[in-house]
Amino acid sequence: FRRVLFRSVMIDNSATSYKFQPKNGIECVPFIDNKDDRELIEIIPFMEYLAKKQDVRLYAQMWNEARDD
């Protein structure tokens, strides 16, 4: 089973989950026991944007950088 990393993103609240492919990782807030969590809904437009890109690794970090601002 081969993953096509230039077309893959991993969304997780722990950077450990994507430590071997950091360019493919998108960090989200912890969601366990949070009934008000809407982050995956909020990320949909960005995921639609990524779907149009040849190599998502060049853009996936934009989400993380925008959250840090």
Side-chain angles (χ1 to χ4, degrees), residues 23-34:
K23 292 181 180 179
N24 296 82
I26 294 178
E27 191 170 348
C28 67
V29 296
F31 51 86
I32 297 173
D33 295 329
N34 182 357

Side-chain angles (χ1 to χ4, degrees), residues 12-55:
D12 203 293
N13 66 313
S14 173
T16 304
S17 298
Y18 50 84
K19 71 179 179 180
F20 297 114
Q21 292 86 24
K23 292 181 180 179
N24 296 82
I26 294 178
E27 191 170 348
C28 67
V29 296
F31 51 86
I32 297 173
D33 295 329
N34 182 357
K35 294 179 183 181
D36 297 324
D37 178 36
R38 307 279 303 152
E39 188 153 16
L40 290 180
I41 300 296
E42 293 172 9
I43 201 171
I44 289 172
F46 186 69
M47 297 305 293
E48 292 172 336
Y49 170 79
L50 284 183
K52 298 173 186 170
K53 302 301 179 189
Q54 279 296 98
D55 190 338

